[in-house]
Amino acid sequence: MTTALPERDGPGAVVTLDRREGPFGEVVLRQRGRHFEIIANGCFLMDTADGRSERLLIQAALDELDRTGSRTERPAVLIGGLGVGFSLAYAAAEPRWGRIAIVERETAIIDWHRNGPLGTFSDGALDDERVAVLHTDLLEYLAAADGERYDALCLDIDNGPDWTVTDSNNGLYGADGLAVLWHRLQPGGVLAVWSAQPSAAFEEALRAAGFSDVVTHEIPVSRGVPDVVHLARRAD
């Protein structure tokens, strides 16, 4: 962790806590008042101001498994993207989850949770015996031929299907990417995808890829369009 460097003065001062160059570009951790922000290649990704939608990503998937009568007593979930830790902490607080895999490609973000201020928000979940931290690119992990299947895939990658900061992430939301996600789910498994805005086109893409029970949960925000969680199920 580098020494904090103030970028501007005043009550709303932004302080840069760490700045790193990685294989996918620059990632920055900033503090604004009592909140923290992650910036990727100059584009705002997320902050710690409001974790409702990140928690809903996990809860909606579990509720859907309950609704459809999951055959697994303690389902396995894969969370795509560690981010500021809200989703992982929420999953780890739920004893019904059996295995919890968290995929994060950025070394810096993992470090900010293990040794930095974001550990407050993941709330020790990285040390939960059910949690496996997979330091790899999500698309590469999912594409592995011998990959494990999960009862739920909860993905918070980039800003969602219609607005990606990293071009390679576009592949996750197209026909080929959705086919990979379908095969990584157990029959009856649930896919939950976070997005910074609703996407009717993504709903249609889910149906075209063979998913059923496609719904979108909206989470109102103080300004602009709502955050959403797109939910779908792999039919038996």
Side-chain angles (χ1 to χ4, degrees):
M1 185 74 62
T2 60
T3 303
L5 303 172
E7 293 190 342
R8 63 183 174 86
D9 298 324
V14 176
V15 178
T16 297
L17 301 177
D18 198 7
R19 184 192 306 274
R20 302 193 198 180
E21 284 291 337
F24 302 96
E26 182 187 68
V27 287
V28 177
L29 178 66
R30 303 194 311 195
Q31 184 171 0
R32 186 187 300 272
R34 61 189 179 88
H35 295 298
F36 298 89
E37 305 171 339
I38 296 176
I39 311 297
N41 294 320
C43 182
F44 173 87
L45 280 186
M46 63 197 71
D47 63 19
T48 59
D50 183 356
R52 289 175 300 153
S53 58
E54 290 90 342
R55 297 182 183 102
L56 180 61
L57 182 73
I58 305 299
Q59 188 62 53
L62 187 58
D63 288 347
E64 182 67 8
L65 288 173
D66 288 344
R67 185 187 73 82
T68 57
S70 170
R71 303 188 192 93
T72 306
E73 184 176 347
R74 300 193 71 209
V77 58
L78 179 141
I79 302 171
L82 176 56
V84 296
F86 287 134
S87 294
L88 176 60
Y90 195 77
E94 173 52 70
R96 284 185 290 170
W97 291 115
R99 172 173 161 77
I100 303 170
I102 179 79
V103 179
E104 177 53 60
R105 70 185 188 181
E106 296 289 353
T107 302
I109 291 178
I110 297 173
D111 288 349
W112 297 335
H113 282 275
R114 290 204 182 278
N115 306 303
L118 296 186
T120 298
F121 303 94
S122 51
D123 196 23
L126 272 66
D127 297 321
D128 190 303
E129 63 182 9
R130 297 168 298 160
V131 173
V133 180
L134 308 178
H135 183 198
T136 186
D137 179 73
L138 178 65
L139 278 73
E140 293 180 6
Y141 174 77
L142 291 171
D146 58 348
E148 178 182 353
R149 286 186 175 182
Y150 294 87
D151 300 287
L153 301 175
C154 297
L155 308 184
D156 184 357
I157 298 299
D158 225 306
N159 285 315
D162 296 337
W163 178 24
T164 54
V165 176
T166 304
D167 289 342
S168 61
N169 287 336
N170 288 322
L172 182 66
Y173 304 112
D176 291 344
L178 291 177
V180 170
L181 295 174
W182 192 91
H183 284 290
R184 278 304 198 111
L185 282 169
Q186 297 283 7
V190 174
L191 173 65
V193 177
W194 185 94
S195 178
Q197 59 190 18
S199 176
F202 185 61
E203 291 179 349
E204 290 305 311
L206 286 167
R207 296 185 181 97
F211 287 94
S212 64
D213 300 333
V214 177
V215 296
T216 298
H217 298 282
E218 295 190 356
I219 305 92
V221 296
S222 57
R223 290 184 296 175
V225 297
D227 293 338
V228 304
V229 171
H230 292 289
L231 203 66
R233 186 172 65 87
R234 172 180 168 169
D236 293 348

